[in-house]
Amino acid sequence: MNRLRRRRHAPEYSRADGSPDVVKLVATMPFKVYGMNGNPLGLRLVSFGHGATGGVIDHIDFGYMSGPLHLTGGAPREERLIGIWQGPVVSYRDIDVEALYAIRGIVDHGADFHRHWNLNEIERAPRHGVNANIAGAHAVVELASWQEPEQITLANIELHDHSIRATSLNLTDEELLRCLETLVVLQENQGTLTQHQQDFDRASQELQYLWTHLKG
């Protein structure tokens, strides 16, 4: 399976046929939801989900990927991945264990993961801030990156009372920043939201095709 984890979706965020409905999910979020516009670097939505604390939804997450989907892990591949977690108030910059979870969501080292990635590595990583324009607003993007064992960049953004953490695989800092500058508020950009649904549907069809042929 591709490195971005597939998610189960609650019935209230599904269409009549049971397929996941990102449009409905975004429409019910109690906060602005940002998504990448225009498929930068060929990245498309392949997974999404949400989480809640005390019954209140407090974050939504998107997984974007370029290149063909695959079902198996193994050797590092050349596809590009971006995972985006976002929600109100929470400052992801200050939660290192969440950074570790974010990296685990896109790399594929199995049982060896913690040999390569751990909290000490995250705490030691040099960080620098870069000015960016996101959805028409000025933002400072805090970047931390590693070249080994894989090319990973973490980006933390705070927009007023909204926090975003982006984690990328096989993108340079500059490429990730360019992608983040395409972020728009999905509730205000129906065309981009529709594209997200179409991309997700195509990815789901590709995975179904792969599963069918693997079983055959």
Side-chain angles (χ1 to χ4, degrees):
M1 178 178 269
N2 59 297
R3 300 184 187 186
L4 289 164
R5 307 297 189 247
R6 305 297 291 179
R7 301 288 299 272
R8 291 186 176 183
H9 297 271
E12 61 266 32
Y13 303 123
S14 300
R15 288 168 286 192
D17 62 359
S19 59
D21 192 336
V22 67
V23 176
K24 187 180 294 185
L25 177 62
V26 168
T28 59
M29 288 296 102
F31 49 83
K32 291 181 178 179
V33 177
Y34 293 80
M36 295 196 301
N37 181 42
N39 300 106
L41 302 179
L43 291 154
R44 55 181 175 146
L45 185 74
V46 298
S47 66
F48 67 91
H50 71 284
T53 301
V56 178
I57 295 174
D58 58 11
H59 78 265
I60 186 170
D61 57 277
F62 292 141
Y64 300 90
M65 178 179 175
S66 67
L69 299 178
H70 53 87
L71 296 176
T72 57
R77 299 174 183 267
E78 295 304 316
E79 71 264 22
R80 291 171 165 179
L81 307 175
I82 296 180
I84 293 179
W85 282 64
Q86 59 182 296
V89 181
V90 177
S91 176
Y92 293 113
R93 178 180 56 206
D94 299 325
I95 308 176
D96 288 335
V97 69
E98 295 293 343
L100 190 63
Y101 293 153
I103 294 171
R104 179 111 196 212
I106 65 171
V107 301
D108 191 11
H109 286 291
D112 291 331
F113 175 81
H114 290 289
R115 183 164 62 88
H116 299 293
W117 304 101
N118 52 65
L119 292 179
N120 289 333
E121 291 293 328
I122 292 174
E123 291 171 357
R124 286 198 298 264
R127 290 169 168 78
H128 65 282
V130 180
N131 292 317
N133 187 298
I134 296 177
H138 173 264
V140 175
V141 182
E142 183 187 81
L143 296 169
S145 58
W146 297 262
Q147 298 302 311
E148 298 292 339
E150 294 190 66
Q151 186 177 15
I152 296 288
T153 298
L154 286 175
N156 295 294
I157 309 165
E158 293 196 26
L159 295 169
H160 307 297
D161 60 350
H162 193 86
S163 295
I164 299 172
R165 162 165 279 160
T167 312
S168 71
L169 172 69
N170 292 332
L171 278 77
T172 65
D173 290 5
E174 293 76 16
E175 288 173 330
L176 176 57
L177 187 63
R178 288 206 307 272
C179 290
L180 295 177
E181 288 193 312
T182 74
L183 288 170
V184 296
V185 178
L186 292 178
Q187 291 98 328
E188 301 171 0
N189 291 268
Q190 188 60 43
T192 303
L193 181 54
T194 298
Q195 186 66 57
H196 275 58
Q197 184 69 66
Q198 292 172 347
D199 289 344
F200 177 82
D201 289 344
R202 279 193 290 269
S204 297
Q205 291 168 4
E206 290 175 33
L207 282 177
Q208 184 59 46
Y209 178 84
L210 291 172
W211 276 115
T212 300
H213 283 71
L214 179 66
K215 293 178 180 177

